[in-house]
């Protein structure tokens, strides 16, 4: 078993983690207030991947969700304390070789104007209305908001 490659970014009330796993099967995500466990089987070689992440801050496990596509699995971790920025995803300050910052989606949200938040609000509302395994139609959600197709190809 090996860890899946992931990117993350911070928002006012949520933290997003995108696991870059193509053709994932048997996706399982368990949310706890201070950590989550992600697992799946990916690719044509059926590689078993698992990540256990002790989080920097606490989340609301009941309000956190995930969405699977053919190229990745996106987790929306609802912060227990909205409005508090996370300088890193993990509790531990040590750099993980499987984790990087998603600079395409990163914003200094403390300076956001209402116009900047409008496209994110649509995505946030969509994530609130789906179940943990539902796959919604993303028509109308801007490319700049959800970058699902920019995962690097995993080396096997």
């Amino acid at each position: 078993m090996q860890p899946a490659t992931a990117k993350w970014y911070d928002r006012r009330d949520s933290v997003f983690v995108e696991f870059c796993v193509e053709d994932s099967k048997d996706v399982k995500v368990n949310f706890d207030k201070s950590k989550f466990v992600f697992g799946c089987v990916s690719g044509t070689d059926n590689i078993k991947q698992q990540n256990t992440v002790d989080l920097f801050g606490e989340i609301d496990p009941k309000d956190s969700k995930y969405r699977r596509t053919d190229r990745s699995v996106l987790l929306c971790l609802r912060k227990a304390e909205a409005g508090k920025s996370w300088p890193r995803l993990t509790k531990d300050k040590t750099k993980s070789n499987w984790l990087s910052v998603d600079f395409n989606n990163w914003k200094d949200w403390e300076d956001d104007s209402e116009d900047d938040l409008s496209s994110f609000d649509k995505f946030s509302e969509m994530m609130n209305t789906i179940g943990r395994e539902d796959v919604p139609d993303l028509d109308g959600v801007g490319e700049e908001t959800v970058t699902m197709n920019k995962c690097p190809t995993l080396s096997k």
Side-chain angles (χ1 to χ4, degrees), residues 41-104:
V41 176
S42 68
T44 56
D45 295 339
N46 291 322
I47 299 169
K48 291 182 182 179
Q49 298 184 301
Q50 182 171 328
N51 300 67
T52 301
V53 181
D54 291 316
L55 297 167
F56 173 80
E58 291 190 354
I59 61 169
D60 179 354
K62 293 179 183 173
D63 206 17
S64 297
K65 300 169 177 41
Y66 70 92
R67 179 182 177 279
R68 184 204 161 275
T69 68
D70 289 339
R71 306 191 98 207
S72 66
V73 177
L74 178 67
L75 278 59
C76 175
L77 310 173
R78 184 68 62 186
K79 292 179 181 178
E81 189 176 339
K84 184 177 179 184
S85 66
W86 289 17
R88 60 186 178 278
L89 178 65
T90 60
K91 185 177 191 175
D92 190 8
K93 291 183 180 182
T94 311
K95 172 117 174 84
S96 300
N97 60 357
W98 57 267
L99 181 64
S100 63
V101 173
D102 185 351
F103 289 107
N104 290 330

Side-chain angles (χ1 to χ4, degrees), residues 133-144:
E133 296 186 60
D134 293 342
V135 179
D137 180 10
L138 286 177
D139 288 344
V141 176
E143 183 79 20
E144 70 281 353

Side-chain angles (χ1 to χ4, degrees), residues 12 83-85 107-112:
R12 191 173 307 281
K84 184 177 179 184
S85 66
K107 292 175 82 171
D108 185 10
W109 53 260
E110 293 170 343
D111 298 329
D112 280 346

